Amino acid sequence: MLNLLIIGFIASALAPFIYKRTKNYFGWIAASFPLYMFISFFLKYNEIVSGNVIKEATNWIPSLGINFTFLLDGLSLTFVLIITLIGTAVFLYAGSYMKDYEQTGRFYLYIGVFMTSMIGLVLSDNMITLFVFWELTSISSYLLIGFNHHKESSRKSALQALLVTGGGGLALMAGLILLAQVSGSFEISALYNMHSTIVGSSLYPAIVILVLLGAFTKSAQFPFHFWLPNAMEAPTPVSAYLHSATMVKAGIYLIARLNHAIGGTVLWQDTILVAGTITMFIAALLAFKQTDLKKLLAYSTLSVLGTLTMLLGIGSNLAIKAFFIFLVAHSLYKGTLFLVAGTLDHETGTRDVSILGGLRKFLPVTMIAALLASFSMMGIIPLVGFIGKETVYSSILEVENFRFFLLALAVISNAFVVMVTILVGIKPFFGNLLPTPKSPHEAPLKMLIGPLVLSVFGLLSGMFPNVFIQKLLDQTTISIIAEELGITVKLWHGFNFVLLLSFITLALGISIYYFRKQIIQALDNISLTKFIKPSYWYERILNGTLSFAKLQTKVLQNGYLRYYIIFIILTTLGLAGYTLFRSPGIGSLVINLDITIYELIIALMIIASTILVITSDSRLKAIVSLGVVGFAMGIIFILYSAPDLALTTFAIETLTVILFVLVLYKLPKYLKFSKPVVKIRDAIIAGSVGIFMTMIVLLVTAGEMQSELKKYFADASLPEGKGRNIVNVILVDFRAIDTLGEIAVLAVAAIGVYALLKLRLKESDK
């Protein structure tokens, strides 16, 4: 599996170069990439449905328990097949749809990285690698949403999606680290037998909140739902892929994957149930007034994502069954309808549903795909959406508390989804032909194959549920609730209450569609306060953060080096000084004044030289005094038996003094910049630092240090570093990378100085 991911990233990186040479038929080449992935994983189908789990591991940072561990079971196989199947359709579709775009090769790079990252995410069994792929999907989706970067709205939407999902990603990382701290492992499969340990931990509430924050932001659950409709600024293939079947379901996948280990509690189940129900209902209502094809689909997607989350919150066997069927059904029909929306836009020049109608003669093949997907989305027999909707209602009827309240919300929400389906998938093709910006005509073959294949899959999955859904359902539920359901998936359950609910939903949805204009006119007089809109608070938080960033930049990064140093020193004094003050040994500190005459003389030399450095009005005198301080420090090293450090100090001080003297004549005349008040301030700060450092040294030397490092370096210097001078061995061997970094910094600084010295500006640039 790791090899497939590596191939995926390499193929994505090569895409722009191949596109330049094969532009006209690159869609076919690009589609072969996800198709190859689909076939590779589909060949594992029989092995997985027979109950086996395929696990692979490659070491990454084994000392920290971070490895490339991949797990292929029923749940991950379901997601991988969805990702690669719809990926094949989208890649082929984009070959025609994106043909006239600039930088189309770059588009394939981004979407290839996204698809590979999604596959890595659903296969990862290690929480850290899962998080790495999780963030890769956020970054690549940011690039895809903002692909039309010349439009301000695209840039703004991309940034909004990145900030919301990225913020959730940080919360998720914290939650996963806490989870690993409680369980002692980063391996997700290792958590399955530790359910009681995890839920009994005092950190459990924090784990649940942080993990669900990550999942809810990624899957656009209320109140983080607003970024998804705005992300429709992306090209249609992006919307069809990311926002119908893959990225927005990553959060749903995470909840399902961790449900086994940390689910089953009131906190987990009720939080998911409430968030999912609110999202399902509110998103359906928000779709009502939309006229843009993609935004209509986006809000209906939100409603379905809420339904999926709600089903995981219900958590019963029937709810998990409904979750699986609804997941597959939605991926197939929503992917199709997004592609159909793109085709209508591409071939008529508009996505405004109010001016689309009577196109059946001009786009007959597109109409067939749209109708199949629409009937599935509306829950009409014999498509897979019908099975999904019936199972959802059946699972809600099993809920003990608020059963009929949930049922009412689900019926109303689904009725609005039916209305959206009529607007998107049926209205553009029937009725009188309406004038469009472009003369309508059927889409190219590459834009027809994908929607047709996905919609036919939806039909076949409904007519023959035992062929694909039933077998994979059993293994998927084991991953979610640790048991096999043993529930048969059937298309027809007879005339019962659930079937009546389906009819009511359909009738209500059709009624809402026919009375939509009158209802909108009535609602136009009602306006909701902006304070209840999450998007309003997002803007307030974002603007507040930007204002704070400007303020702190103005104060802390004003371009004066002296202020940078002052802020660093004061911060260090504040934090370390407080810690020092709270130290238990500071009160019993004894100052030892037993010093030799040599030490006293050296100390007086240093003090006198320092005063001269500060008060001197001559640069040469100040530099000489500074050199005296350095040489006095070297003598201290000699007194304490460190001749190597003393020699180094003498060499550096000599070189420093010489260099300073050489450049003295190039400097302007000595000027007095500081006012008396500033000098007093600086004296207070410098004195505080001196007192602080003195107290640190006294505290450290007051007792015997118990560090194991001294013994280790003393024992290891000769056998491992081949040196008898421990200090040298530490610098050259044990701190080799650190020393190399210091050398690199000095080298870069030297190059910068050389460049400045060689710089000769033209008269016009001065």
Side-chain angles (χ1 to χ4, degrees), residues 83 179 254 295-296 358 459 485 508 520 583 638:
I83 293 166
L179 185 56
L254 183 72
K295 287 207 170 184
L296 280 163
L459 175 64
L485 293 182
L508 187 58
I520 289 177
S583 173
I638 293 175

Side-chain angles (χ1 to χ4, degrees), residues 285-291 296 419 516 520 523-524 526:
L285 296 183
L286 291 175
F288 183 66
K289 295 178 70 174
Q290 304 298 324
T291 56
L296 280 163
M419 178 214 72
R516 182 167 174 267
I520 289 177
L523 292 177
D524 280 342
I526 302 173

Side-chain angles (χ1 to χ4, degrees), residues 364-394:
V365 182
T366 302
M367 181 191 68
I368 293 172
L371 290 180
L372 285 174
S374 299
F375 291 156
S376 184
M377 187 168 165
M378 294 165 72
I380 294 177
I381 195 167
L383 289 114
V384 67
F386 171 78
I387 305 176
K389 189 169 290 183
E390 285 224 325
T391 320
V392 169
Y393 288 150
S394 299

Side-chain angles (χ1 to χ4, degrees), residues 560-744:
Y560 293 100
L561 182 61
R562 54 184 178 273
Y563 292 122
Y564 296 173
I565 297 173
I566 288 175
F567 284 127
I568 293 171
I569 289 175
L570 290 179
T571 304
T572 306
L573 280 177
L575 298 176
Y578 175 76
T579 306
L580 180 67
F581 179 74
R582 296 293 300 268
S583 173
I586 196 70
S588 58
L589 193 63
V590 177
I591 300 175
N592 184 7
L593 297 177
D594 185 16
I595 58 174
T596 66
I597 186 63
Y598 309 109
E599 294 169 340
L600 179 61
I601 293 172
I602 293 170
L604 291 175
M605 286 174 58
I606 293 174
I607 293 172
S609 302
T610 304
I611 293 173
L612 275 175
V613 171
I614 298 171
T615 59
S616 175
D617 56 357
S618 165
R619 289 198 181 92
L620 183 60
K621 192 189 299 182
I623 290 168
V624 171
S625 301
L626 195 63
V628 172
V629 174
F631 277 91
M633 291 299 299
I635 295 172
I636 291 177
F637 291 142
I638 293 175
L639 292 177
Y640 283 89
S641 304
D644 50 345
L645 287 179
L647 288 172
T648 306
T649 304
F650 292 152
I652 291 173
E653 292 300 330
T654 304
L655 182 63
T656 305
V657 171
I658 292 172
L659 289 175
F660 269 125
V661 171
L662 287 175
V663 299
L664 272 181
Y665 298 104
K666 300 290 184 183
L667 295 177
K669 291 184 178 180
Y670 211 89
L671 298 175
K672 291 183 179 180
F673 288 104
S674 303
K675 298 177 181 177
V677 176
V678 175
K679 290 182 179 179
I680 294 171
R681 180 200 66 190
D682 294 344
I684 293 172
I685 294 174
S688 301
V689 173
I691 294 171
F692 171 73
M693 290 305 300
T694 303
M695 297 300 292
I696 289 287
V697 172
L698 290 174
L699 187 64
V700 170
T701 57
E704 180 67 25
M705 296 181 68
Q706 301 298 323
S707 172
E708 293 292 326
L709 291 175
K710 288 193 297 184
K711 184 176 182 306
Y712 169 76
F713 285 129
D715 294 340
S717 290
L718 183 59
E720 296 184 18
K722 311 300 179 187
R724 296 184 185 279
N725 187 313
I726 298 174
V727 175
N728 287 348
V729 172
I730 291 174
L731 291 175
V732 176
D733 290 283
F734 294 117
R735 287 183 59 228
I737 295 178
D738 190 24
T739 306
L740 180 64
E742 293 170 353
I743 293 172

Side-chain angles (χ1 to χ4, degrees), residues 305-316:
L305 292 173
T307 304
L308 291 170
T309 307
M310 180 190 72
L311 291 170
L312 288 172
I314 294 173
S316 65

Side-chain angles (χ1 to χ4, degrees), residues 748-763:
V748 171
I751 293 171
V753 171
Y754 178 76
L756 287 174
L757 291 174
K758 298 292 288 183
L759 181 63
R760 297 289 183 271
L761 292 177
K762 298 177 182 177
E763 287 299 324

